[in-house]
Each structure stands twice: as C-alpha cells, then as structure tokens.
Amino acid sequence: MKYLQQSHILKLTVITFAIVACFTALRIFRGVNTIVKTENNRKMFSKIANEHTKKEDFMQNMDLRIKERKKNLKIACKESALNSDYLSEMQLLFYEKYKLAYCVIPKSGCSNMKKLLLNIDGYNTTTLTNGEIHEISRTKYLRKGMPDIVQRENYLKVILVRHPYERLVSSYNNKIRFPYNDQFLKYSEKMKELYGNSSQNSEAKSAPLFEEFVKYVSDGRNQGYKNGGEMHWNTYTSLCNPCHVEYDVILHLETIKDDVRYLLELVGAHEDDGFSNGYSKSGQSKTEQKNYVKEYFKQLIPNLKHKLYKAYKNDFKLFGYSPDGNAK
C-alpha cells in the first residue's frame, strides 16, 4: 500500500514537473517570438522611416532644381522683353482629377507626356495606339488660348522642354525627312522651293536636306502661327508663352526620370506611372542616344549655325540651355 502511494506521488510529481516545464517553454517561446516580432517590426519601421527620409530628401532636392529653373526663366524673361502676340494660340491640356494643366510642345516628349497623364487619369494606354492617345488628349483635355490658364489659378501649370537643337533634329527626321502625311509634304516642297540646291538635291521626290530645313526654320518669315509656322518647330516662346504664364513645374527631357517622379509626387499620383518607351533610364531620347545632332550640325556652315541660334536664342536662354548641349 505504501509503495502504491509513493508511486502515485512520483507520478504526480513528474506530471507537475512536465506541466511546469511546458509552461516555462511556452513562456520562453513567446518571449523569443516577441523578440523576433519586435525586431522585425523595428526593421520594418526603420525601412519605412528610411524610405520616407529618402523621399523627403529627393523632394527637397527637386524643389531646389525647379526653383532654380524658374529663377533662370524669370531673369531671362526680363532681359528678353518678349511680347505676347501668341497668347491665343496656346494648346493646354487640363486634367481635372489632379488639377494639372500641361502646355503641349511637340517633339519635346509630348506623346509620352500625354500617355503618362492619361495613365494617371485612369486610361489603360497599353491598349491604345499613339494616334488614339493624341486623339483622346485633343478631344477630352485640350483647351486653346490664354484665358483658361489664367482663370484656373488653382491648377498646377506644367511645361516640358528639351535642348532646342535636339528638338529640331527630331522634327526634321520625323516630319520632313520621313514625312507621313500631306501636311508635312507641303512644308517639304516649300523648303526645297525656297532654299533648295538643285545640284545637291536633284530628285524631285527627295526630302529637303537638313541644311534646307535649317534655312527655312531660321527665317523669321516662316516662324510663328501668324506666318504659317508649324508646331513641331515653332519656338517654345510662341507655343507656351513662358514669360506670360507662371509655370509651377518646368520639366527637362534630359532629366525626365526624376522630373516626372517629382511631378507625380506633387499631384499624389502613383509613382509607377513614369515615363517610358523611347527614353533610356538616364532620360536620353533616341535622337540624343544616336548622336544625330552632332552629325547633322557638321553639315552646316558657321554662319547658318549662328542664324539658327539667333532664331531660337530665347528658347536657349529661358530654359538654361547652351548651344554646346549643356543645361542648367
């Protein structure tokens, strides 16, 4: 009997010890798990904090960049004393959702900018052709003239520019050298008629030489809407009147990746909806990457280069570009 009692007590002791051991192990496990969770949470919040700090630093740096561009524009406008003859001809795209107004400058990232803005406004542009993107932008968002942008002071006003010479080379290649419709064939014929050299360009159906194109766009009689000028090579000053419209954000195609990220942050759009198609990660366009500009400009005599610069001088000065390709 005594032996059975001792055996029973031993069993109870073992069971009690086992229960205590289980609870102890559970407490240790919970403690370790809590430590692991705490460490994971700490790392997660640290990562969020770092990302937030990086974003703040990025936005502060971009604020300084845009502020410097606007300052340069303001100074250059005072020095240039530009008139406002073309205020009624501005083409502006208004996006109500983000209270954003974008001034259209063809051959300055215009197609991709329209695509970007349609993306953030809810369109699936992967299913749209370039022609459809332009058509939707024109029919749904386009407003012409100065009054609209003045009346809508609560809109973020945006302009996108690029080096003027790169833009001209892109215009020549896309619209004159390989014209795709009668509108540009008409300009091609006019260029050959006015500035053509029959000994160098004898074929009637051949495109004007780059030299002939430059002579045409350099001639003040062919610039601006009043003289029958064309958007793809009209000056920035005639297209967007930067000395009479106070643009909030000045984007440069050369720094488009960061510039667009900054713009999307400002309006609260998704950062994934960035620039794409036709531009490298550095922001270089196809024209710049293939070094077209240097090759074409080798064909021009110094006097013609000077005349071309004179025709687009304000575009260079207002937006911080220099003829050798540098930008502020």
Side-chain angles (χ1 to χ4, degrees):
M1 185 71 177
K2 185 178 179 180
Y3 173 78
L4 290 173
Q5 287 177 344
Q6 288 177 345
S7 177
H8 183 66
I9 291 170
L10 181 61
K11 287 180 180 180
L12 288 175
T13 302
V14 171
I15 292 170
T16 302
F17 178 79
I19 292 171
V20 170
C22 286
F23 274 107
T24 302
L26 182 61
R27 290 178 65 186
I28 293 172
F29 173 77
R30 286 178 175 173
V32 171
N33 195 39
T34 300
I35 292 171
V36 171
K37 284 184 177 179
T38 302
E39 180 62 18
N40 288 340
N41 288 339
R42 187 191 68 77
K43 288 181 179 179
M44 181 183 69
F45 287 122
S46 177
K47 183 179 179 182
I48 292 172
N50 287 337
E51 289 176 354
H52 181 71
T53 300
K54 286 180 181 179
K55 183 178 289 187
E56 281 190 337
D57 290 344
F58 170 78
M59 293 302 286
Q60 287 174 3
N61 290 334
M62 286 300 303
D63 283 339
L64 292 174
R65 175 188 285 181
I66 300 302
K67 185 178 180 181
E68 186 63 27
R69 288 175 181 175
K70 291 167 70 175
K71 179 183 176 182
N72 178 78
L73 175 61
K74 190 172 183 180
I75 293 171
C77 282
K78 285 184 178 179
E79 294 175 350
S80 302
L82 292 170
N83 60 40
S84 56
D85 290 346
Y86 305 104
L87 294 179
S88 63
E89 301 297 340
M90 294 175 64
Q91 295 199 18
L92 298 154
L93 301 179
F94 286 96
Y95 298 84
E96 183 72 27
K97 181 178 178 180
Y98 291 101
K99 293 290 185 280
L100 186 151
Y102 161 58
C103 186
V104 178
I105 298 178
K107 304 312 297 177
S108 183
C110 169
S111 296
N112 277 310
M113 191 65 177
K114 288 177 179 178
K115 181 178 180 179
L116 167 70
L117 296 174
L118 286 180
N119 274 334
I120 67 173
D121 208 32
Y123 282 85
N124 179 10
T125 57
T126 60
T127 64
L128 300 175
T129 64
N130 276 346
E132 289 170 333
I133 288 171
H134 286 298
E135 182 64 15
I136 293 171
S137 297
R138 183 185 67 80
T139 55
K140 184 174 179 180
Y141 301 96
L142 182 64
R143 303 288 183 275
K144 285 190 177 184
M146 178 73 167
D148 259 333
I149 204 166
V150 173
Q151 293 168 7
R152 304 188 189 197
E153 293 180 354
N154 61 323
Y155 272 65
L156 189 77
K157 294 176 279 293
V158 179
I159 184 172
L160 170 59
V161 297
R162 73 189 294 188
H163 193 284
Y165 286 166
E166 284 186 17
R167 176 173 175 251
L168 288 174
V169 168
S170 181
S171 296
Y172 171 73
N173 275 328
N174 186 240
K175 307 302 177 186
I176 300 301
R177 189 181 177 194
F178 303 110
Y180 61 86
N181 62 32
D182 291 340
Q183 175 190 349
F184 294 105
L185 283 173
K186 176 187 72 176
Y187 283 108
S188 294
E189 292 305 314
K190 191 173 182 181
M191 289 172 192
K192 288 194 292 184
E193 178 187 337
L194 294 175
Y195 308 101
N197 186 329
S198 57
S199 63
Q200 293 179 340
N201 196 9
S202 57
E203 293 184 26
K205 293 184 179 181
S206 63
L209 301 174
F210 182 66
E211 175 188 348
E212 295 161 0
F213 170 75
V214 169
K215 287 178 180 178
Y216 181 86
V217 300
S218 299
D219 191 330
R221 293 172 297 179
N222 303 319
Q223 275 284 356
Y225 293 106
K226 290 185 177 180
N227 298 325
E230 216 288 324
M231 285 186 72
H232 291 81
W233 50 79
N234 274 355
T235 63
Y236 299 151
T237 51
S238 66
L239 291 169
C240 290
N241 296 279
C243 291
H244 297 86
V245 176
E246 189 174 346
Y247 288 97
D248 302 292
V249 181
I250 300 171
L251 309 176
H252 282 201
L253 197 58
E254 293 78 11
T255 54
I256 196 61
K257 184 179 179 182
D258 284 344
D259 289 7
V260 161
R261 178 186 167 193
Y262 174 74
L263 175 64
L264 296 179
E265 288 286 352
L266 281 183
V267 300
H270 294 296
E271 191 178 312
D272 291 341
D273 294 318
F275 241 56
S276 60
N277 297 335
Y279 298 92
S280 68
K281 290 182 179 179
S282 65
Q284 288 185 315
S285 66
K286 289 179 179 178
T287 301
E288 186 180 359
Q289 288 180 64
K290 292 183 178 180
N291 213 15
Y292 279 137
V293 176
K294 288 183 180 179
E295 292 301 317
Y296 276 120
F297 273 70
K298 287 179 182 178
Q299 305 171 23
L300 306 180
I301 61 174
N303 184 54
L304 187 53
K305 288 181 184 178
H306 176 72
K307 190 175 180 181
L308 180 64
Y309 173 73
K310 190 175 178 181
Y312 291 86
K313 179 175 67 175
N314 288 324
D315 286 358
F316 281 97
K317 290 188 172 182
L318 267 55
F319 295 102
Y321 290 104
S322 65
D324 61 11
N326 296 323
K328 292 182 180 178

